Amino acid sequence: MSVNKEVKRITTHVLQAMKAKGEKISMLTAYDYSMARIIDEAGVDVILVGDSASNVMAGHETTLPITLDQMIYHASSVIRAVKRALVVVDLPFGSYQGNSKLALESAIRIMKESGAHAVKLEGGAEVVESIKRILSAGVPVMGHLGLTPQSIYKFGTYTVRAKEEAEAQKLREDALLLQEIGCFSMVLEKIPANLAKAVSESLYIPTIGIGAGADADGQVLVIHDLLGLTKDFQPRFLRRYMDLFEGIKGAVGQYIKDVKTTDFPNEKEQY
Ligand code: KIV
């Protein structure tokens, strides 16, 4: 789908109406102007400026090192490109946990300095005060339950979460709590499909799954994974739609060859 000049913007209310109608929500990450422009023109509903930028843009092993300033830089680049999608920005590690005043200040900086439409943060009951304070300032919040990569050193691995009943029960309770306090949506990451189905059916706000099966109300992938720009990350849930790593490598290889053999530039490519 391409969008014309009279674009109807996606809002948090549109997403909730989509769930009510049974229409699935598409969400992808983007971190820069050029990619955001392509994804928005293609018609994706939500663009997430994820803290996965720490991995795929900066090459860190985890999402922990990325800073609020860096998230704002990525978010403002994305915002300049987007005409239709709802743009949600991750609050990075250390910018909201355990201090609701800090959480509000971080969320306000993101909204004011990047022009984003909403923020996302990880966790349930333990971050409720932070979420409430952000919501009280009129900033829409997307939750994130299941595998929460900012807690990787607590979990120890990136394996499927909430397989045991106690953790599944906490997730069900957290999901209801996030809805009750006013989150407009939530990501469910890497949990059993039947749990994601039950949670999604128990809520009127939409769930967006990643590795959470087909019954979440929408799906999200990291754009670098979908396009095959990342090579070694191969979880079962990932569908690669292109192999851009090899595609770009081939194009660059050809360019190098053309330069070396003086094939490039030719007569038509000079003044
Ligand atoms: O940072 C991110 O890309 C995310 C998605 C995986 C949901 O949080």
Side-chain angles (χ1 to χ4, degrees):
M1 181 192 117
S2 65
V3 283
N4 61 29
K5 284 195 179 122
E6 300 294 311
V7 220
K8 190 169 177 291
R9 291 211 81 115
I10 302 289
T11 65
T12 57
H13 302 280
V14 170
L15 297 181
Q16 290 181 6
M18 286 169 77
K19 169 158 181 156
K21 280 188 284 181
E23 183 183 341
K24 295 282 185 186
I25 297 164
S26 59
M27 174 160 130
L28 281 172
T29 66
Y31 319 97
D32 67 283
Y33 175 86
S34 303
M35 192 65 86
R37 188 167 168 212
I38 299 169
I39 295 171
D40 189 52
E41 274 198 32
V44 78
D45 300 311
V46 185
I47 293 182
L48 172 66
V49 184
D51 59 358
S52 49
S54 180
N55 309 105
V56 297
M57 300 300 287
H60 293 296
E61 210 174 294
T62 72
T63 57
L64 275 66
I66 199 159
T67 65
L68 187 58
D69 284 339
Q70 288 165 340
M71 289 304 296
I72 290 169
Y73 168 77
H74 287 298
S76 39
S77 308
V78 166
I79 278 288
R80 284 193 282 276
V82 172
K83 295 192 166 65
R84 175 180 176 272
L86 181 85
V87 178
V88 182
V89 181
D90 265 335
L91 280 171
F93 177 67
S95 72
Y96 63 93
Q97 292 96 337
N99 181 340
S100 64
K101 184 167 176 285
L102 174 69
L104 177 61
E105 283 164 7
S106 305
I108 286 179
R109 277 202 62 201
I110 287 180
M111 302 298 282
K112 233 179 160 59
E113 296 177 39
S114 76
H117 310 134
V119 298
K120 173 167 87 58
L121 54 82
E122 298 180 3
E126 47 302 316
V127 288
V128 135
E129 291 315 315
S130 294
I131 298 179
K132 280 185 178 164
R133 192 126 179 209
I134 296 170
L135 288 168
S136 73
V139 177
V141 177
M142 177 181 270
H144 185 153
L145 299 176
L147 176 64
T148 46
Q150 291 179 11
S151 310
I152 183 59
Y153 292 115
K154 178 176 144 201
F155 297 144
T157 72
Y158 286 102
T159 52
V160 182
R161 305 303 312 171
K163 279 164 97 176
E164 306 300 328
E165 179 47 29
E167 198 182 339
Q169 182 55 24
K170 171 159 171 28
L171 191 143
R172 283 190 284 266
E173 286 166 10
D174 279 344
L176 287 171
L177 180 63
L178 293 185
Q179 171 174 270
E180 194 185 304
I181 62 173
C183 289
F184 71 91
S185 173
M186 74 190 69
V187 165
L188 299 177
E189 179 161 355
K190 231 170 168 187
I191 60 170
N194 58 3
L195 177 60
K197 180 173 192 291
V199 168
S200 304
E201 285 172 359
S202 73
L203 302 175
Y204 55 80
I205 61 170
T207 60
I208 312 287
I210 174 162
D215 291 305
D217 303 305
Q219 298 293 328
V220 56
L221 285 176
V222 169
I223 188 66
H224 288 59
D225 298 335
L226 175 151
L227 295 175
L229 280 163
T230 45
K231 219 177 154 52
D232 307 321
F233 182 62
Q234 290 173 342
R236 188 207 296 204
F237 69 75
L238 175 61
R239 186 178 294 180
R240 287 198 195 281
Y241 287 81
M242 293 184 87
D243 184 357
L244 272 191
F245 189 101
E246 289 306 323
I248 292 175
K249 208 166 125 185
V252 171
Q254 186 61 48
Y255 165 75
I256 295 167
K257 191 164 154 240
D258 291 350
V259 169
K260 303 272 181 199
T261 59
T262 69
D263 180 81
F264 176 79
N266 64 25
E267 275 180 20
K268 286 189 197 148
E269 291 162 334
Q270 62 190 15
Y271 301 99

